[in-house]
Amino acid sequence: MSNSRRRGFLAVVALAIPLVVAGAPAASATAEPKIKVSGGLTQPVFSYEDAIREHVRVQSQVDSDGDGKKDLVRVDIIRPKESGSGLKVPVIMQESPYYDDPGVGYEIEKKKYDADGNVTKFPMYYDNYFVPRGYAFVSVDMIGTRLSDGCPASYGASDVLGGKAVVDWLNGRATAYDEQGDPVKATWTTGRTGMIGHSYEGALGVGVAGTGVQGLATIVNISGYTSGYENSHANGTLTWFKGGARWQSERVDKDPAEKCEAVRRRMDAESDDETGNYNAYWDERNYRTGPISKARNVHASVFSVMGMQDRNVVGSQFSEWWTKLPRTVQRKAWVTQYGHLDPFWARREVWLTTLNQWFDHELMGVANDILRRPRVDVQLGPDRWITQADWPAPTQTLTLRPQQDGSLGRTPSTGTGSYVDTAQTEIAMAADPATANPNRLAYLTPPLKNAIRVSGTPSASLRLKLDKPTANLGVLLVDYGQDTRINYRERSATAAEGLKFIGGEDCVGESTADDDGCYLRGGDNTATSGFNVVTRGILDAQNHKSLSRSTPLTPGKSYQITWKTLPQDYEFKAGHRLGLVLTGANDDFNLDESGTGTGTDVEPGTGAKVTVDLAGTSISLPVVNGTPIE
């Protein structure tokens, strides 16, 4: 934003939202609270218990269930009571499909309602924490879920356009109705809206921002999808079970099954799980360059959080979208070694302060230093965080090549190696690299004399022959060396995604009898091991030319095939060895209904023999500038 535009924005906000800065003359004892700022942060001066709770149904522009009527979107609202008598407040909005099933957050919270149908308990802390600071919190049932009309579309157009309609209503461009069917205007808000959410919720913020809707000032995207295709595919390889789009739609919708059966049959047919190819169905669900939502249309500021060991929403969902955002978009990011994790559960105090500053600056116009700080926080290990100007860090390319003796070096080698495309877990593929395994090839550098940090997206290039028309081509980048690392693999009653619960609770906002604002305390879950899979990549060989068209390979013919692994930001410590493992189908990519890597029936492997020409095979790593390269 230019200086003149920023001054204009601050002036408008100052008129719309009276600010009281710490140190200003005290107001009279009978004056109603106004927004109070101290140390660059809004302060909790409004009563949460006395807040106005209401609900409306916003008219969307879609008819997702084909019943001949435009879908109405249920919107539950909580706002300071003072916003009903002249104070205009900005909005923090969470659009979610999860209010019915499975619930929201690690504590699986759901909405509770009073006799008038107003929400008395909102899932998560956004209401408890931010309403006392002078924000409205708006909780939106995604179309097809909970109390909204229609059918969920597994990231399709109606999912996005329902949220857009709510932003339009908050800015006076759409119609909403109360329980009596009378129109309701959002006269209590400035219209400036920030969307926040985790996973599907984060994706909805990305999708709505990509429509370019006016009034959406910022989004906080926590592990959110930016491509529906990459939710269930990796370069032509199916990574979710067939019918995953239907299952996801059914999971979040508690209406009678027959209501949306026709919609789901169409999704089954159009998603084309049989080939795994990208097509028009997936293009609609592409929030990077698709027809409904695209990164180039985003003008809201962006605060994005991505776990580089997330097996559900993989790192490319962040990196590929991040690089397509216009340069004018104000942005911030946290890049972590966690899995599918909201940092509220693991880095709570820092997260809340940062989020408070972000919303205050972007929605209230508070003059704090959030944009003068380094743009990106990067987690390199347990309790080890650094900051940098952007992501990825400035890098140079280090190309490593497998050698006939099993080492990994800088110069091309001669000879060949072969393996059979069979599904295995990553632990099985990476373990005991010196031991011969018919289903993988493993190559290791000598012990590193200096630490090497990778920041960005590696790429693999293989010169190969197959004895069948296709194969799953997989690569693993592995850190061999004893160390204590974030344990992103454990899933138990007390630990998951790199988090463990450590006992006790934090109360992060004001409470009522129904909504206590207190949450379990968590921290880093660690494990000591001799190796760690850093990143991975997989490709259906017959999609090496195009994701939209399958081209079977000619058995016995040599091909040069190059593709990207998933991105990463990771430090290989001095004394460790960097490993390249060439594999077939990856069971850790094969997600079942629980989202875990146990869906062994998804892609069992083709049984093809893959013969690799070492002279044309390499992995290229983006290595942080200044890292000593041997």
Side-chain angles (χ1 to χ4, degrees):
M1 184 181 292
S2 67
N3 288 336
S4 61
R5 287 179 64 199
R6 189 175 296 280
R7 284 195 297 270
F9 160 59
L10 293 176
V12 170
V13 172
L15 289 172
I17 308 174
L19 298 177
V20 177
V21 180
S28 68
T30 58
E32 290 187 333
K34 294 181 173 63
I35 305 296
K36 179 180 178 181
V37 177
S38 178
L41 291 171
T42 52
Q43 302 298 310
V45 297
F46 298 94
S47 169
Y48 177 71
E49 185 169 8
D50 295 338
I52 296 169
R53 291 167 170 81
E54 58 191 342
H55 64 276
V56 299
R57 286 162 66 81
V58 172
Q59 180 75 69
S60 77
Q61 295 303 306
V62 298
D63 177 13
S64 62
D65 55 8
D67 66 354
K69 298 180 292 185
K70 296 294 178 62
D71 298 334
L72 292 172
V73 182
R74 168 71 177 227
V75 180
D76 293 301
I77 303 161
I78 180 170
R79 54 188 174 90
K81 69 176 182 179
E82 290 80 4
S83 65
S85 55
L87 177 69
K88 289 185 181 293
V89 297
V91 171
I92 295 171
M93 171 175 156
Q94 181 188 33
E95 181 188 7
S96 180
Y98 299 139
Y99 295 131
D100 263 331
D101 185 29
V104 178
Y106 273 92
E107 296 188 25
I108 315 299
E109 293 184 298
K110 298 188 178 183
K111 293 180 180 179
K112 292 182 181 179
Y113 305 85
D114 65 16
D116 296 322
N118 294 318
V119 172
T120 60
K121 176 179 176 58
F122 289 89
M124 292 294 285
Y125 62 91
Y126 308 127
D127 55 314
N128 309 85
Y129 188 88
F130 284 105
V131 170
R133 287 169 164 78
Y135 292 86
F137 176 64
V138 168
S139 175
V140 180
D141 296 353
M142 190 188 82
I143 279 181
T145 69
R146 197 59 185 154
L147 300 178
S148 288
D149 295 343
C151 297
S154 292
Y155 312 107
S158 59
D159 291 3
V160 172
L161 296 178
K164 177 183 180 294
V166 178
V167 177
D168 282 333
W169 173 67
L170 292 167
N171 286 273
R173 298 186 299 269
T175 303
Y177 302 95
D178 62 17
E179 286 290 349
Q180 289 71 46
D182 296 325
V184 181
K185 294 184 180 296
T187 57
W188 42 266
T189 179
T190 65
R192 288 188 69 82
T193 302
M195 292 184 69
I196 187 170
H198 177 242
S199 194
Y200 206 139
E201 301 160 349
L204 295 171
V206 170
V208 174
T211 68
V213 63
Q214 296 296 315
L216 183 62
T218 191
I219 63 171
V220 179
N221 168 25
I222 306 168
S223 302
Y225 305 97
T226 64
S227 165
Y229 180 79
E230 287 182 17
N231 176 36
S232 53
H233 301 76
N235 298 310
T237 298
L238 192 66
T239 57
W240 267 46
F241 52 95
K242 293 179 181 178
R246 166 187 280 271
W247 170 84
Q248 193 164 47
S249 175
E250 291 173 336
R251 183 192 187 203
V252 299
D253 182 9
K254 292 304 179 186
D255 289 334
E258 59 270 18
K259 173 188 170 186
C260 295
E261 180 58 26
V263 173
R264 291 176 184 136
R265 282 200 302 267
R266 187 167 64 249
M267 290 168 63
D268 283 340
E270 293 177 356
S271 57
D272 189 18
D273 285 345
E274 291 300 325
T275 69
N277 290 346
Y278 184 92
N279 58 22
Y281 173 90
W282 296 112
D283 202 44
E284 179 185 321
R285 291 155 176 80
N286 182 345
Y287 301 162
R288 303 169 192 166
T289 60
I292 306 301
S293 174
K294 49 178 61 70
R296 74 182 185 191
N297 290 342
V298 174
H299 54 75
S301 63
V302 170
F303 185 1
S304 200
V305 179
M306 189 68 232
M308 288 299 176
Q309 293 296 357
D310 194 332
R311 310 316 304 275
N312 188 339
V313 180
V314 294
S316 58
Q317 298 271 17
F318 159 73
S319 63
E320 294 292 325
W321 175 71
W322 181 261
T323 59
K324 288 179 173 60
L325 289 171
R327 292 176 63 86
T328 54
V329 168
Q330 199 68 255
R331 67 186 84 181
K332 186 173 181 60
W334 282 14
V335 175
T336 83
Q337 289 301 311
Y338 299 126
H340 197 54
L341 181 64
D342 183 333
F344 173 74
W345 302 98
R347 202 189 185 200
R348 182 166 295 168
E349 184 175 352
V350 179
W351 171 251
L352 287 173
T353 300
T354 304
L355 188 62
N356 196 165
Q357 289 178 314
W358 182 262
F359 279 142
D360 286 353
H361 188 279
E362 297 300 291
L363 299 180
M364 292 274 197
V366 172
N368 57 39
D369 68 350
I370 190 67
L371 294 183
R372 295 194 296 273
R373 298 179 187 177
R375 179 177 283 176
V376 181
D377 286 27
V378 178
Q379 182 188 39
L380 292 180
D383 299 318
R384 188 181 174 208
W385 291 80
I386 62 172
T387 59
Q388 61 192 42
D390 205 345
W391 194 89
T395 60
Q396 54 189 313
T397 300
L398 170 63
T399 299
L400 297 174
R401 305 174 187 277
Q403 308 293 306
Q404 186 69 44
D405 63 0
S407 64
L408 193 60
R410 302 289 299 276
T411 59
S413 181
T414 58
T416 62
S418 64
Y419 63 90
V420 176
D421 172 20
T422 302
Q424 305 169 86
T425 67
E426 290 185 351
I427 295 297
M429 287 187 273
D432 302 318
T435 302
N437 182 331
N439 304 125
R440 65 105 197 268
L441 295 170
Y443 304 92
L444 275 68
T445 65
L448 300 174
K449 294 179 180 178
N450 303 287
I452 291 179
R453 180 178 160 211
V454 172
S455 180
T457 304
S459 64
S461 186
L462 275 64
R463 186 178 299 164
L464 56 82
K465 296 178 182 179
L466 305 181
D467 66 352
K468 292 186 177 183
T470 194
N472 297 282
L473 304 177
V475 295
L476 303 180
L477 183 64
V478 185
D479 176 12
Y480 289 99
Q482 194 77 4
D483 203 359
T484 299
R485 307 173 175 93
I486 298 293
N487 183 9
Y488 63 89
R489 293 184 179 276
E490 181 180 355
R491 298 180 69 92
S492 67
T494 58
E497 309 296 348
L499 166 81
K500 65 179 178 182
F501 291 112
I502 59 178
E505 286 187 329
D506 295 315
C507 295
V508 300
E510 295 189 17
S511 300
T512 63
D514 273 351
D515 196 331
D516 66 5
C518 300
Y519 292 88
L520 296 173
R521 189 175 295 129
D524 288 353
N525 184 31
T526 62
T528 301
S529 62
F531 68 90
N532 180 48
V533 177
V534 174
T535 190
R536 66 284 294 163
I538 196 165
L539 167 81
D540 184 342
Q542 62 187 339
N543 286 107
H544 75 280
K545 290 184 177 180
S546 169
L547 293 182
S548 300
R549 186 180 68 258
S550 299
T551 306
L553 278 64
T554 301
K557 181 179 177 180
S558 181
Y559 292 84
Q560 189 74 43
I561 298 179
T562 302
W563 76 101
K564 295 178 181 179
T565 72
L566 294 176
Q568 184 51 276
D569 204 305
Y570 187 90
E571 185 180 71
F572 294 84
K573 294 181 178 179
H576 288 206
R577 304 176 74 184
L578 190 152
L580 171 65
V581 180
L582 307 180
T583 72
N586 185 330
D587 262 353
D588 288 32
F589 268 116
N590 293 342
L591 301 182
D592 64 6
E593 290 91 337
S594 70
T596 60
T598 57
T600 53
D601 61 330
V602 175
E603 179 48 72
T606 64
K609 181 180 179 181
V610 182
T611 301
V612 179
D613 181 349
L614 300 184
T617 297
S618 62
I619 186 166
S620 295
L621 307 176
V623 176
V624 172
N625 289 351
T627 297
I629 299 176
E630 300 169 21

